[in-house]
Amino acid sequence: MSLSSTTSVVESDWRERTGERSEPERDRQLDSTAPHGVGPALPDPQVVPKAEKAKRRKRSASEKRRILAAVDQASEPGEIGRILRREGIYHSQLSKWRKQRAEGIELGLSEKARGVKGPSVKTLQEENRKLKRRQVRLEEELRRARIIIEFQKKAAALFEPMTASEES
């Protein structure tokens, strides 16, 4: 194709598209209803139905050991990949299970409770220190309150004979 024919095609295409979109217009509407109620309604491709939340798979220690044994016995190329696809696991999980097995952590292959863990020793020690400081502060306030109460009792005892003699 010569340069002059290329430029003429480009110019003619440019003239045709001035002010218009480069994409072809869609034949159907964006919503799920057919135009003017004719024909079946097409689902909106931009609306995805809400799927249920995926649940985690939990594998027992025996399942993990079985999968590791099958992978260890795999001798043909691609057999490990077939095992991983069949079991629905990733290679990273397999690597983690191998590492745990090599370290001798049998508990590492078993299920672990997920979620919020209990308080650590450090947080318990910090809470203990805070409670002790609070106890010391409250004991000091109690000591001061007792002193004030004793003073009020003595002051009341001093003024009591005066009020009795004034009334008579």
Side-chain angles (χ1 to χ4, degrees), residues 118-150:
S120 67
V121 173
K122 191 173 184 177
T123 57
L124 290 175
Q125 288 173 346
E126 181 64 31
E127 185 179 359
N128 192 15
R129 279 190 290 254
K130 287 180 183 178
L131 290 174
K132 284 183 179 180
R133 284 193 302 258
R134 183 176 180 214
Q135 180 184 6
V136 168
R137 183 177 46 90
L138 291 175
E139 285 176 352
E140 179 62 26
E141 286 180 18
L142 180 62
R143 187 185 67 79
R144 288 180 186 160
R146 286 184 177 156
I147 291 172
I148 292 171
I149 292 171
E150 287 296 319

PDB file of all heavy atoms in Angstrom, residues 118-150:
ATOM      1  N   GLY A 118      -6.287 -15.264  72.551  1.00  0.00           N
ATOM      2  CA  GLY A 118      -6.389 -14.733  73.903  1.00  0.00           C
ATOM      3  C   GLY A 118      -5.291 -13.714  74.154  1.00  0.00           C
ATOM      4  O   GLY A 118      -4.388 -13.530  73.352  1.00  0.00           O
ATOM      5  N   PRO A 119      -5.355 -13.034  75.285  1.00  0.00           N
ATOM      6  CA  PRO A 119      -4.339 -12.023  75.578  1.00  0.00           C
ATOM      7  C   PRO A 119      -2.966 -12.658  75.767  1.00  0.00           C
ATOM      8  O   PRO A 119      -2.836 -13.744  76.323  1.00  0.00           O
ATOM      9  CB  PRO A 119      -4.836 -11.376  76.876  1.00  0.00           C
ATOM     10  CG  PRO A 119      -5.747 -12.384  77.478  1.00  0.00           C
ATOM     11  CD  PRO A 119      -6.340 -13.156  76.345  1.00  0.00           C
ATOM     12  N   SER A 120      -1.948 -11.953  75.305  1.00  0.00           N
ATOM     13  CA  SER A 120      -0.592 -12.464  75.445  1.00  0.00           C
ATOM     14  C   SER A 120      -0.065 -12.167  76.843  1.00  0.00           C
ATOM     15  O   SER A 120      -0.662 -11.410  77.619  1.00  0.00           O
ATOM     16  CB  SER A 120       0.317 -11.815  74.401  1.00  0.00           C
ATOM     17  OG  SER A 120       0.455 -10.439  74.686  1.00  0.00           O
ATOM     18  N   VAL A 121       1.062 -12.753  77.160  1.00  0.00           N
ATOM     19  CA  VAL A 121       1.671 -12.554  78.475  1.00  0.00           C
ATOM     20  C   VAL A 121       2.033 -11.088  78.664  1.00  0.00           C
ATOM     21  O   VAL A 121       1.843 -10.519  79.735  1.00  0.00           O
ATOM     22  CB  VAL A 121       2.922 -13.456  78.614  1.00  0.00           C
ATOM     23  CG1 VAL A 121       3.674 -13.157  79.895  1.00  0.00           C
ATOM     24  CG2 VAL A 121       2.523 -14.918  78.560  1.00  0.00           C
ATOM     25  N   LYS A 122       2.529 -10.472  77.609  1.00  0.00           N
ATOM     26  CA  LYS A 122       2.936  -9.065  77.693  1.00  0.00           C
ATOM     27  C   LYS A 122       1.748  -8.165  78.013  1.00  0.00           C
ATOM     28  O   LYS A 122       1.848  -7.275  78.857  1.00  0.00           O
ATOM     29  CB  LYS A 122       3.578  -8.645  76.376  1.00  0.00           C
ATOM     30  CG  LYS A 122       4.256  -7.311  76.430  1.00  0.00           C
ATOM     31  CD  LYS A 122       5.007  -7.051  75.153  1.00  0.00           C
ATOM     32  CE  LYS A 122       5.770  -5.748  75.228  1.00  0.00           C
ATOM     33  NZ  LYS A 122       6.549  -5.512  74.021  1.00  0.00           N
ATOM     34  N   THR A 123       0.615  -8.390  77.361  1.00  0.00           N
ATOM     35  CA  THR A 123      -0.553  -7.556  77.641  1.00  0.00           C
ATOM     36  C   THR A 123      -1.088  -7.817  79.044  1.00  0.00           C
ATOM     37  O   THR A 123      -1.556  -6.891  79.709  1.00  0.00           O
ATOM     38  CB  THR A 123      -1.670  -7.797  76.611  1.00  0.00           C
ATOM     39  OG1 THR A 123      -2.022  -9.178  76.617  1.00  0.00           O
ATOM     40  CG2 THR A 123      -1.251  -7.378  75.223  1.00  0.00           C
ATOM     41  N   LEU A 124      -1.009  -9.061  79.503  1.00  0.00           N
ATOM     42  CA  LEU A 124      -1.452  -9.360  80.867  1.00  0.00           C
ATOM     43  C   LEU A 124      -0.555  -8.682  81.896  1.00  0.00           C
ATOM     44  O   LEU A 124      -1.032  -8.168  82.911  1.00  0.00           O
ATOM     45  CB  LEU A 124      -1.482 -10.872  81.096  1.00  0.00           C
ATOM     46  CG  LEU A 124      -2.574 -11.641  80.350  1.00  0.00           C
ATOM     47  CD1 LEU A 124      -2.411 -13.137  80.578  1.00  0.00           C
ATOM     48  CD2 LEU A 124      -3.945 -11.183  80.773  1.00  0.00           C
ATOM     49  N   GLN A 125       0.763  -8.681  81.646  1.00  0.00           N
ATOM     50  CA  GLN A 125       1.677  -8.012  82.569  1.00  0.00           C
ATOM     51  C   GLN A 125       1.418  -6.513  82.595  1.00  0.00           C
ATOM     52  O   GLN A 125       1.433  -5.888  83.666  1.00  0.00           O
ATOM     53  CB  GLN A 125       3.128  -8.287  82.158  1.00  0.00           C
ATOM     54  CG  GLN A 125       3.567  -9.703  82.426  1.00  0.00           C
ATOM     55  CD  GLN A 125       4.946  -9.996  81.850  1.00  0.00           C
ATOM     56  OE1 GLN A 125       5.464  -9.235  81.042  1.00  0.00           O
ATOM     57  NE2 GLN A 125       5.526 -11.109  82.283  1.00  0.00           N
ATOM     58  N   GLU A 126       1.173  -5.912  81.430  1.00  0.00           N
ATOM     59  CA  GLU A 126       0.889  -4.474  81.372  1.00  0.00           C
ATOM     60  C   GLU A 126      -0.413  -4.154  82.108  1.00  0.00           C
ATOM     61  O   GLU A 126      -0.492  -3.179  82.857  1.00  0.00           O
ATOM     62  CB  GLU A 126       0.802  -4.023  79.911  1.00  0.00           C
ATOM     63  CG  GLU A 126       0.536  -2.549  79.742  1.00  0.00           C
ATOM     64  CD  GLU A 126       1.658  -1.684  80.280  1.00  0.00           C
ATOM     65  OE1 GLU A 126       2.820  -2.110  80.258  1.00  0.00           O
ATOM     66  OE2 GLU A 126       1.350  -0.564  80.729  1.00  0.00           O
ATOM     67  N   GLU A 127      -1.418  -4.977  81.925  1.00  0.00           N
ATOM     68  CA  GLU A 127      -2.684  -4.765  82.627  1.00  0.00           C
ATOM     69  C   GLU A 127      -2.497  -4.908  84.131  1.00  0.00           C
ATOM     70  O   GLU A 127      -3.075  -4.142  84.909  1.00  0.00           O
ATOM     71  CB  GLU A 127      -3.728  -5.774  82.130  1.00  0.00           C
ATOM     72  CG  GLU A 127      -5.096  -5.554  82.723  1.00  0.00           C
ATOM     73  CD  GLU A 127      -6.121  -6.548  82.204  1.00  0.00           C
ATOM     74  OE1 GLU A 127      -5.778  -7.394  81.362  1.00  0.00           O
ATOM     75  OE2 GLU A 127      -7.268  -6.471  82.667  1.00  0.00           O
ATOM     76  N   ASN A 128      -1.666  -5.853  84.551  1.00  0.00           N
ATOM     77  CA  ASN A 128      -1.381  -6.049  85.969  1.00  0.00           C
ATOM     78  C   ASN A 128      -0.708  -4.808  86.557  1.00  0.00           C
ATOM     79  O   ASN A 128      -1.061  -4.356  87.655  1.00  0.00           O
ATOM     80  CB  ASN A 128      -0.503  -7.289  86.153  1.00  0.00           C
ATOM     81  CG  ASN A 128      -0.399  -7.714  87.596  1.00  0.00           C
ATOM     82  OD1 ASN A 128      -1.168  -7.275  88.436  1.00  0.00           O
ATOM     83  ND2 ASN A 128       0.557  -8.576  87.884  1.00  0.00           N
ATOM     84  N   ARG A 129       0.255  -4.238  85.818  1.00  0.00           N
ATOM     85  CA  ARG A 129       0.921  -3.011  86.300  1.00  0.00           C
ATOM     86  C   ARG A 129      -0.074  -1.867  86.434  1.00  0.00           C
ATOM     87  O   ARG A 129      -0.043  -1.116  87.408  1.00  0.00           O
ATOM     88  CB  ARG A 129       2.051  -2.626  85.346  1.00  0.00           C
ATOM     89  CG  ARG A 129       3.334  -3.404  85.575  1.00  0.00           C
ATOM     90  CD  ARG A 129       4.448  -2.796  84.756  1.00  0.00           C
ATOM     91  NE  ARG A 129       4.206  -3.048  83.338  1.00  0.00           N
ATOM     92  CZ  ARG A 129       4.878  -3.928  82.597  1.00  0.00           C
ATOM     93  NH1 ARG A 129       5.844  -4.612  83.129  1.00  0.00           N
ATOM     94  NH2 ARG A 129       4.583  -4.106  81.339  1.00  0.00           N
ATOM     95  N   LYS A 130      -0.957  -1.713  85.458  1.00  0.00           N
ATOM     96  CA  LYS A 130      -1.961  -0.643  85.522  1.00  0.00           C
ATOM     97  C   LYS A 130      -2.878  -0.819  86.726  1.00  0.00           C
ATOM     98  O   LYS A 130      -3.198   0.146  87.432  1.00  0.00           O
ATOM     99  CB  LYS A 130      -2.801  -0.626  84.243  1.00  0.00           C
ATOM    100  CG  LYS A 130      -2.081  -0.095  83.040  1.00  0.00           C
ATOM    101  CD  LYS A 130      -2.992  -0.128  81.825  1.00  0.00           C
ATOM    102  CE  LYS A 130      -2.274   0.335  80.581  1.00  0.00           C
ATOM    103  NZ  LYS A 130      -3.141   0.255  79.395  1.00  0.00           N
ATOM    104  N   LEU A 131      -3.292  -2.051  86.983  1.00  0.00           N
ATOM    105  CA  LEU A 131      -4.180  -2.310  88.118  1.00  0.00           C
ATOM    106  C   LEU A 131      -3.479  -2.043  89.446  1.00  0.00           C
ATOM    107  O   LEU A 131      -4.095  -1.531  90.387  1.00  0.00           O
ATOM    108  CB  LEU A 131      -4.705  -3.746  88.056  1.00  0.00           C
ATOM    109  CG  LEU A 131      -5.698  -4.036  86.926  1.00  0.00           C
ATOM    110  CD1 LEU A 131      -6.022  -5.520  86.877  1.00  0.00           C
ATOM    111  CD2 LEU A 131      -6.960  -3.217  87.102  1.00  0.00           C
ATOM    112  N   LYS A 132      -2.199  -2.380  89.534  1.00  0.00           N
ATOM    113  CA  LYS A 132      -1.456  -2.097  90.772  1.00  0.00           C
ATOM    114  C   LYS A 132      -1.320  -0.603  91.000  1.00  0.00           C
ATOM    115  O   LYS A 132      -1.471  -0.126  92.132  1.00  0.00           O
ATOM    116  CB  LYS A 132      -0.086  -2.759  90.720  1.00  0.00           C
ATOM    117  CG  LYS A 132      -0.139  -4.251  90.951  1.00  0.00           C
ATOM    118  CD  LYS A 132       1.239  -4.864  90.961  1.00  0.00           C
ATOM    119  CE  LYS A 132       1.144  -6.368  91.210  1.00  0.00           C
ATOM    120  NZ  LYS A 132       2.461  -7.010  91.225  1.00  0.00           N
ATOM    121  N   ARG A 133      -1.031   0.164  89.925  1.00  0.00           N
ATOM    122  CA  ARG A 133      -0.949   1.625  90.065  1.00  0.00           C
ATOM    123  C   ARG A 133      -2.286   2.197  90.497  1.00  0.00           C
ATOM    124  O   ARG A 133      -2.350   3.088  91.357  1.00  0.00           O
ATOM    125  CB  ARG A 133      -0.505   2.254  88.742  1.00  0.00           C
ATOM    126  CG  ARG A 133       0.976   2.084  88.447  1.00  0.00           C
ATOM    127  CD  ARG A 133       1.414   2.985  87.310  1.00  0.00           C
ATOM    128  NE  ARG A 133       0.685   2.755  86.080  1.00  0.00           N
ATOM    129  CZ  ARG A 133       1.130   2.071  85.035  1.00  0.00           C
ATOM    130  NH1 ARG A 133       2.330   1.526  85.077  1.00  0.00           N
ATOM    131  NH2 ARG A 133       0.393   1.930  83.957  1.00  0.00           N
ATOM    132  N   ARG A 134      -3.366   1.681  89.922  1.00  0.00           N
ATOM    133  CA  ARG A 134      -4.697   2.155  90.303  1.00  0.00           C
ATOM    134  C   ARG A 134      -4.997   1.826  91.765  1.00  0.00           C
ATOM    135  O   ARG A 134      -5.576   2.636  92.491  1.00  0.00           O
ATOM    136  CB  ARG A 134      -5.740   1.519  89.393  1.00  0.00           C
ATOM    137  CG  ARG A 134      -7.132   1.998  89.665  1.00  0.00           C
ATOM    138  CD  ARG A 134      -8.109   1.427  88.686  1.00  0.00           C
ATOM    139  NE  ARG A 134      -9.440   1.920  88.993  1.00  0.00           N
ATOM    140  CZ  ARG A 134     -10.536   1.237  88.839  1.00  0.00           C
ATOM    141  NH1 ARG A 134     -10.499   0.023  88.348  1.00  0.00           N
ATOM    142  NH2 ARG A 134     -11.700   1.751  89.154  1.00  0.00           N
ATOM    143  N   GLN A 135      -4.597   0.634  92.192  1.00  0.00           N
ATOM    144  CA  GLN A 135      -4.828   0.233  93.582  1.00  0.00           C
ATOM    145  C   GLN A 135      -4.082   1.159  94.540  1.00  0.00           C
ATOM    146  O   GLN A 135      -4.647   1.596  95.549  1.00  0.00           O
ATOM    147  CB  GLN A 135      -4.377  -1.209  93.793  1.00  0.00           C
ATOM    148  CG  GLN A 135      -4.587  -1.696  95.209  1.00  0.00           C
ATOM    149  CD  GLN A 135      -4.029  -3.100  95.418  1.00  0.00           C
ATOM    150  OE1 GLN A 135      -3.394  -3.657  94.547  1.00  0.00           O
ATOM    151  NE2 GLN A 135      -4.282  -3.635  96.591  1.00  0.00           N
ATOM    152  N   VAL A 136      -2.838   1.492  94.230  1.00  0.00           N
ATOM    153  CA  VAL A 136      -2.056   2.394  95.089  1.00  0.00           C
ATOM    154  C   VAL A 136      -2.727   3.765  95.148  1.00  0.00           C
ATOM    155  O   VAL A 136      -2.855   4.357  96.233  1.00  0.00           O
ATOM    156  CB  VAL A 136      -0.601   2.506  94.574  1.00  0.00           C
ATOM    157  CG1 VAL A 136       0.142   3.643  95.251  1.00  0.00           C
ATOM    158  CG2 VAL A 136       0.124   1.193  94.765  1.00  0.00           C
ATOM    159  N   ARG A 137      -3.191   4.269  93.996  1.00  0.00           N
ATOM    160  CA  ARG A 137      -3.844   5.576  93.964  1.00  0.00           C
ATOM    161  C   ARG A 137      -5.133   5.563  94.782  1.00  0.00           C
ATOM    162  O   ARG A 137      -5.412   6.484  95.562  1.00  0.00           O
ATOM    163  CB  ARG A 137      -4.148   5.955  92.516  1.00  0.00           C
ATOM    164  CG  ARG A 137      -4.768   7.328  92.340  1.00  0.00           C
ATOM    165  CD  ARG A 137      -4.980   7.673  90.874  1.00  0.00           C
ATOM    166  NE  ARG A 137      -5.585   6.605  90.103  1.00  0.00           N
ATOM    167  CZ  ARG A 137      -6.916   6.450  89.934  1.00  0.00           C
ATOM    168  NH1 ARG A 137      -7.740   7.291  90.498  1.00  0.00           N
ATOM    169  NH2 ARG A 137      -7.382   5.457  89.212  1.00  0.00           N
ATOM    170  N   LEU A 138      -5.933   4.514  94.650  1.00  0.00           N
ATOM    171  CA  LEU A 138      -7.187   4.428  95.399  1.00  0.00           C
ATOM    172  C   LEU A 138      -6.948   4.272  96.899  1.00  0.00           C
ATOM    173  O   LEU A 138      -7.702   4.833  97.719  1.00  0.00           O
ATOM    174  CB  LEU A 138      -8.040   3.266  94.867  1.00  0.00           C
ATOM    175  CG  LEU A 138      -8.627   3.453  93.462  1.00  0.00           C
ATOM    176  CD1 LEU A 138      -9.336   2.186  93.005  1.00  0.00           C
ATOM    177  CD2 LEU A 138      -9.570   4.640  93.425  1.00  0.00           C
ATOM    178  N   GLU A 139      -5.900   3.527  97.283  1.00  0.00           N
ATOM    179  CA  GLU A 139      -5.581   3.401  98.710  1.00  0.00           C
ATOM    180  C   GLU A 139      -5.174   4.744  99.296  1.00  0.00           C
ATOM    181  O   GLU A 139      -5.526   5.063 100.442  1.00  0.00           O
ATOM    182  CB  GLU A 139      -4.472   2.365  98.904  1.00  0.00           C
ATOM    183  CG  GLU A 139      -4.955   0.935  98.746  1.00  0.00           C
ATOM    184  CD  GLU A 139      -3.834  -0.085  98.845  1.00  0.00           C
ATOM    185  OE1 GLU A 139      -2.650   0.320  98.890  1.00  0.00           O
ATOM    186  OE2 GLU A 139      -4.148  -1.284  98.868  1.00  0.00           O
ATOM    187  N   GLU A 140      -4.448   5.554  98.504  1.00  0.00           N
ATOM    188  CA  GLU A 140      -4.059   6.893  98.978  1.00  0.00           C
ATOM    189  C   GLU A 140      -5.298   7.773  99.130  1.00  0.00           C
ATOM    190  O   GLU A 140      -5.416   8.511 100.124  1.00  0.00           O
ATOM    191  CB  GLU A 140      -3.060   7.516  97.997  1.00  0.00           C
ATOM    192  CG  GLU A 140      -2.611   8.909  98.369  1.00  0.00           C
ATOM    193  CD  GLU A 140      -1.884   8.963  99.703  1.00  0.00           C
ATOM    194  OE1 GLU A 140      -1.295   7.945 100.135  1.00  0.00           O
ATOM    195  OE2 GLU A 140      -1.906  10.042 100.335  1.00  0.00           O
ATOM    196  N   GLU A 141      -6.237   7.701  98.179  1.00  0.00           N
ATOM    197  CA  GLU A 141      -7.476   8.472  98.301  1.00  0.00           C
ATOM    198  C   GLU A 141      -8.275   8.022  99.521  1.00  0.00           C
ATOM    199  O   GLU A 141      -8.848   8.865 100.237  1.00  0.00           O
ATOM    200  CB  GLU A 141      -8.326   8.309  97.042  1.00  0.00           C
ATOM    201  CG  GLU A 141      -7.810   9.055  95.834  1.00  0.00           C
ATOM    202  CD  GLU A 141      -8.696   8.859  94.616  1.00  0.00           C
ATOM    203  OE1 GLU A 141      -9.865   8.434  94.784  1.00  0.00           O
ATOM    204  OE2 GLU A 141      -8.225   9.131  93.504  1.00  0.00           O
ATOM    205  N   LEU A 142      -8.315   6.738  99.799  1.00  0.00           N
ATOM    206  CA  LEU A 142      -9.022   6.215 100.962  1.00  0.00           C
ATOM    207  C   LEU A 142      -8.376   6.720 102.259  1.00  0.00           C
ATOM    208  O   LEU A 142      -9.072   7.099 103.201  1.00  0.00           O
ATOM    209  CB  LEU A 142      -9.042   4.680 100.928  1.00  0.00           C
ATOM    210  CG  LEU A 142      -9.740   3.983 102.090  1.00  0.00           C
ATOM    211  CD1 LEU A 142     -11.216   4.354 102.133  1.00  0.00           C
ATOM    212  CD2 LEU A 142      -9.567   2.471 101.971  1.00  0.00           C
ATOM    213  N   ARG A 143      -7.041   6.734 102.286  1.00  0.00           N
ATOM    214  CA  ARG A 143      -6.335   7.221 103.479  1.00  0.00           C
ATOM    215  C   ARG A 143      -6.681   8.688 103.737  1.00  0.00           C
ATOM    216  O   ARG A 143      -6.983   9.076 104.864  1.00  0.00           O
ATOM    217  CB  ARG A 143      -4.823   7.052 103.289  1.00  0.00           C
ATOM    218  CG  ARG A 143      -3.989   7.377 104.530  1.00  0.00           C
ATOM    219  CD  ARG A 143      -2.503   7.311 104.243  1.00  0.00           C
ATOM    220  NE  ARG A 143      -2.050   8.342 103.323  1.00  0.00           N
ATOM    221  CZ  ARG A 143      -1.823   9.623 103.665  1.00  0.00           C
ATOM    222  NH1 ARG A 143      -2.016  10.006 104.907  1.00  0.00           N
ATOM    223  NH2 ARG A 143      -1.404  10.485 102.777  1.00  0.00           N
ATOM    224  N   ARG A 144      -6.699   9.499 102.654  1.00  0.00           N
ATOM    225  CA  ARG A 144      -7.049  10.917 102.801  1.00  0.00           C
ATOM    226  C   ARG A 144      -8.498  11.077 103.268  1.00  0.00           C
ATOM    227  O   ARG A 144      -8.793  11.925 104.122  1.00  0.00           O
ATOM    228  CB  ARG A 144      -6.864  11.647 101.474  1.00  0.00           C
ATOM    229  CG  ARG A 144      -5.424  11.834 101.096  1.00  0.00           C
ATOM    230  CD  ARG A 144      -5.315  12.554  99.781  1.00  0.00           C
ATOM    231  NE  ARG A 144      -3.944  12.619  99.315  1.00  0.00           N
ATOM    232  CZ  ARG A 144      -3.586  12.840  98.074  1.00  0.00           C
ATOM    233  NH1 ARG A 144      -4.512  13.026  97.158  1.00  0.00           N
ATOM    234  NH2 ARG A 144      -2.326  12.891  97.750  1.00  0.00           N
ATOM    235  N   ALA A 145      -9.398  10.275 102.710  1.00  0.00           N
ATOM    236  CA  ALA A 145     -10.805  10.357 103.106  1.00  0.00           C
ATOM    237  C   ALA A 145     -10.965  10.001 104.578  1.00  0.00           C
ATOM    238  O   ALA A 145     -11.758  10.634 105.299  1.00  0.00           O
ATOM    239  CB  ALA A 145     -11.651   9.431 102.226  1.00  0.00           C
ATOM    240  N   ARG A 146     -10.241   9.004 105.061  1.00  0.00           N
ATOM    241  CA  ARG A 146     -10.319   8.632 106.479  1.00  0.00           C
ATOM    242  C   ARG A 146      -9.801   9.745 107.380  1.00  0.00           C
ATOM    243  O   ARG A 146     -10.367  10.007 108.450  1.00  0.00           O
ATOM    244  CB  ARG A 146      -9.535   7.342 106.723  1.00  0.00           C
ATOM    245  CG  ARG A 146     -10.248   6.121 106.192  1.00  0.00           C
ATOM    246  CD  ARG A 146      -9.505   4.863 106.523  1.00  0.00           C
ATOM    247  NE  ARG A 146     -10.263   3.696 106.059  1.00  0.00           N
ATOM    248  CZ  ARG A 146      -9.726   2.532 105.774  1.00  0.00           C
ATOM    249  NH1 ARG A 146      -8.420   2.351 105.916  1.00  0.00           N
ATOM    250  NH2 ARG A 146     -10.481   1.537 105.364  1.00  0.00           N
ATOM    251  N   ILE A 147      -8.729  10.425 106.956  1.00  0.00           N
ATOM    252  CA  ILE A 147      -8.200  11.551 107.737  1.00  0.00           C
ATOM    253  C   ILE A 147      -9.249  12.661 107.822  1.00  0.00           C
ATOM    254  O   ILE A 147      -9.484  13.245 108.887  1.00  0.00           O
ATOM    255  CB  ILE A 147      -6.880  12.072 107.123  1.00  0.00           C
ATOM    256  CG1 ILE A 147      -5.766  11.043 107.307  1.00  0.00           C
ATOM    257  CG2 ILE A 147      -6.475  13.416 107.732  1.00  0.00           C
ATOM    258  CD1 ILE A 147      -4.486  11.389 106.562  1.00  0.00           C
ATOM    259  N   ILE A 148      -9.888  12.966 106.708  1.00  0.00           N
ATOM    260  CA  ILE A 148     -10.915  14.016 106.685  1.00  0.00           C
ATOM    261  C   ILE A 148     -12.089  13.630 107.576  1.00  0.00           C
ATOM    262  O   ILE A 148     -12.617  14.466 108.336  1.00  0.00           O
ATOM    263  CB  ILE A 148     -11.368  14.289 105.241  1.00  0.00           C
ATOM    264  CG1 ILE A 148     -10.220  14.929 104.449  1.00  0.00           C
ATOM    265  CG2 ILE A 148     -12.615  15.162 105.203  1.00  0.00           C
ATOM    266  CD1 ILE A 148     -10.491  15.050 102.969  1.00  0.00           C
ATOM    267  N   ILE A 149     -12.500  12.391 107.532  1.00  0.00           N
ATOM    268  CA  ILE A 149     -13.614  11.933 108.367  1.00  0.00           C
ATOM    269  C   ILE A 149     -13.251  12.032 109.837  1.00  0.00           C
ATOM    270  O   ILE A 149     -14.063  12.481 110.666  1.00  0.00           O
ATOM    271  CB  ILE A 149     -14.030  10.501 107.979  1.00  0.00           C
ATOM    272  CG1 ILE A 149     -14.661  10.501 106.584  1.00  0.00           C
ATOM    273  CG2 ILE A 149     -14.990   9.912 109.004  1.00  0.00           C
ATOM    274  CD1 ILE A 149     -14.902   9.115 106.009  1.00  0.00           C
ATOM    275  N   GLU A 150     -12.035  11.638 110.203  1.00  0.00           N
ATOM    276  CA  GLU A 150     -11.582  11.748 111.604  1.00  0.00           C
ATOM    277  C   GLU A 150     -11.576  13.207 112.046  1.00  0.00           C
ATOM    278  O   GLU A 150     -11.993  13.528 113.160  1.00  0.00           O
ATOM    279  CB  GLU A 150     -10.185  11.146 111.764  1.00  0.00           C
ATOM    280  CG  GLU A 150     -10.132   9.648 111.714  1.00  0.00           C
ATOM    281  CD  GLU A 150     -10.890   9.019 112.872  1.00  0.00           C
ATOM    282  OE1 GLU A 150     -10.795   9.526 114.016  1.00  0.00           O
ATOM    283  OE2 GLU A 150     -11.593   8.022 112.604  1.00  0.00           O
TER     284      GLU A 150
END
